[in-house]
Amino acid sequence: MSAALLTAVARTAAPGAALRRFLALDSVVSTGNGLAYLAFSAPLGRLLGIGQGLLLGLGAFMVLYGAGVGLLASRRQPPVFPVKLVVEGNYAWAALSLVALFVWFEPTAAGAVWTAAQALVVASFAVFQQLALRADSGRQ
């Protein structure tokens, strides 16, 4: 992906601003998803074919993760090492989601689509965050 694509997606020419925007979006999506898992674990579990207990655990983790990523996004210059951890964590989450889909879970059709879609979204966050971090590091 090019710097032009990164600029277009982030709608800014400032890599630092792009990184903060991608982190903030990751935070909002992760926290919102986590809250939904916590509040509606039983009906979502039935819809997705994933256990209620697992959704509760994932929900709690995602709320905490989202808060941490939000804290990074709020920094004028997010520190490189924690951002790299977020990027690597997002790649790992996406990969484990797909492994779980085929190895551990027995989801409904909706659950299979949801799991694959969220893996794609999380992997996209990782790519854009990584590109923005590289662009920001190149300007310093």
Side-chain angles (χ1 to χ4, degrees), residues 24-131:
L25 183 59
D26 188 354
S27 173
V28 168
V29 170
S30 297
T31 303
N33 207 24
L35 290 172
Y37 286 175
L38 287 172
F40 305 107
S41 59
L44 283 175
R46 287 189 297 275
L47 175 68
L48 302 174
I50 298 172
Q52 179 181 359
L54 177 60
L55 287 179
L56 283 170
L58 289 174
F61 171 78
M62 291 173 74
V63 168
L64 292 173
Y65 170 83
V69 174
L71 181 62
L72 279 176
S74 72
R75 306 279 304 268
R76 180 165 161 57
Q77 187 67 33
V80 172
F81 181 71
V83 172
K84 284 183 178 180
L85 288 177
V86 168
V87 169
E88 290 172 8
N90 281 340
Y91 282 130
W93 182 277
L96 284 173
S97 294
L98 295 177
V99 168
L101 180 61
F102 294 107
V103 176
W104 299 309
F105 294 163
E106 293 181 13
T108 62
V113 170
W114 175 255
T115 302
Q118 67 84 27
L120 179 63
V121 168
V122 172
S124 297
F125 284 150
V127 168
F128 287 123
Q129 290 162 348
Q130 186 175 28
L131 289 172

